[in-house]
Amino acid sequence: MSAEVDALTVVNQLRDLAADPLNRRAIVEDQGCLPGLILFLDHPNPQIVYSALLAVRYLAECRANREKMKDELGMMLSLQNVMQKSTSPGETKLLASEIYEILQSAGKEEAEQAEAAAASCRRKAQFFMGSSNKRAKTVVLHIDGLDDPTRRSLCEEALLKIRGVISFTFQMAVKRCVVRIRSDLKAEALGSAINSTKVMTAQQVVKTEDGGERMVPFQEDSAVPVEENTDIPDYLPEEEEEEEESPSQEQDKAVTRVGSITDGAGWLSTAANFLTRSFYW
């Protein structure tokens, strides 16, 4: 049991470090961390698998990482196993499929980059949350009342009840939550879930044609049926308050508050040592 708790701690720390764009190259270049994440993809604990997938998804956001990740021994096969395993929750399969498609197309990216050279920086910033994935989309919420960890926990519980929510992260300083959802899920369902807490209200943040932002309130009388989520593993909340990179802003902020790159590099060594000792679960 102790080994499994240690594995969960390690994969959560790797996920948090991978959330910081400044750490992503170092994690992939490290000799132990990427192979370790591949091992976690085959772990029997669904929480560990889901957290490992989130870490891999963060790492794949860095285009320079994708070719190496695709060629890493066992990466594509492990992703296929997660997608095909009958016991994998639906949202876990969707996330694995999204990563697989990104890595599979890594060889074609140079041509696509040349073609998209004139694209705006805003479009690039939005890629992280899966804007290129036809089966997933991003919704940015501004949540009035998102003032402390207690309210954040209420918000997490409300979002976790919705089938079709893939993942979400918070930017507490500006009271925002960025949610990645299935393309067939309406944003109004998120607003209804947040408003149901009775202590918070949500508005959708959308881009304007001139590159600015505006907030669109959800209609109070437009109740949207919400399918309750029952098959996804428990969401893995951060132990510390997060600050998250909004796709509507061009910043170098970490998605989660994980410390400096120096701290991250030191921890990578510790994680690699753990993974070496724990090659077999």
Side-chain angles (χ1 to χ4, degrees):
M1 184 65 178
S2 176
E4 185 163 309
V5 171
D6 287 343
L8 185 58
T9 300
V10 169
V11 73
N12 284 350
Q13 289 285 355
L14 280 172
R15 178 201 62 199
D16 293 348
L17 288 168
D20 186 345
L22 297 177
N23 292 338
R24 291 169 186 165
R25 291 295 299 275
I27 292 173
V28 170
E29 293 299 326
D30 186 89
Q31 293 184 352
C33 289
L34 191 57
L37 281 171
I38 294 173
L39 290 177
F40 284 135
L41 295 179
D42 295 323
H43 200 282
N45 185 332
Q47 290 187 342
I48 291 175
V49 173
Y50 192 71
S51 192
L53 284 171
L54 287 174
V56 174
R57 180 62 183 86
Y58 285 133
L59 296 176
E61 166 62 8
C62 177
R63 291 180 181 271
N65 285 342
R66 294 176 188 172
E67 196 69 41
K68 180 175 176 60
M69 292 173 66
K70 178 184 176 182
D71 294 338
E72 188 70 32
L73 181 65
M75 173 65 79
M76 303 304 280
L77 180 60
S78 292
L79 290 171
Q80 285 181 317
N81 289 340
V82 173
M83 292 156 52
Q84 296 170 2
K85 191 180 297 184
S86 60
T87 56
S88 294
E91 307 307 333
T92 299
K93 290 182 178 180
L94 180 59
L95 186 55
S97 175
E98 180 181 350
I99 298 167
Y100 186 89
E101 290 175 6
I102 290 172
L103 298 184
Q104 189 69 19
S105 62
K108 306 174 184 177
E109 285 181 359
E110 289 187 8
E112 291 176 357
Q113 279 182 303
E115 211 173 293
S120 69
C121 292
R122 293 189 303 276
R123 189 174 172 187
K124 292 178 183 177
Q126 289 173 343
F127 175 81
F128 164 69
M129 298 304 288
S131 60
S132 66
N133 188 334
K134 296 179 180 178
R135 292 176 296 175
K137 62 183 178 181
T138 301
V139 176
V140 181
L141 300 176
H142 178 84
I143 304 174
D144 291 319
L146 185 63
D147 302 321
D148 54 46
T150 301
R151 295 283 180 88
R152 174 181 148 171
S153 295
L154 283 175
C155 187
E156 288 177 352
E157 291 174 5
L159 292 174
L160 282 172
K161 292 178 181 178
I162 306 174
R163 180 179 292 277
V165 170
I166 300 171
S167 64
F168 51 83
T169 45
F170 292 91
Q171 189 176 15
M172 297 294 289
V174 291
K175 302 182 180 181
R176 287 192 179 183
C177 180
V178 180
V179 191
R180 190 161 78 252
I181 61 176
R182 286 194 323 224
S183 59
D184 58 350
L185 180 63
K186 293 184 178 180
E188 286 80 359
L190 306 178
S192 297
I194 300 300
N195 295 343
S196 71
T197 64
K198 306 299 184 183
V199 293
M200 291 178 286
T201 56
Q203 300 179 78
Q204 185 174 0
V205 181
V206 298
K207 284 285 187 179
T208 58
E209 292 183 358
D210 60 1
E213 294 180 354
R214 66 187 179 92
M215 295 187 188
V216 180
F218 295 108
Q219 298 295 328
E220 295 182 5
D221 57 350
S222 60
V224 176
V226 177
E227 186 178 359
E228 187 170 346
N229 201 359
T230 57
D231 62 354
I232 191 170
D234 291 341
Y235 185 72
L236 302 172
E238 314 298 338
E239 294 180 1
E240 301 181 43
E241 180 177 316
E242 298 172 336
E243 287 190 15
E244 183 272 335
E245 181 184 12
S246 170
S248 63
Q249 300 174 353
E250 296 175 22
Q251 302 175 357
D252 291 328
K253 291 183 179 179
V255 177
T256 50
R257 199 180 75 188
V258 295
S260 68
I261 183 65
T262 304
D263 295 338
W267 195 90
L268 285 178
S269 176
T270 303
N273 289 336
F274 172 88
L275 292 168
T276 300
R277 295 195 310 270
S278 308
F279 189 86
Y280 294 106
W281 310 112

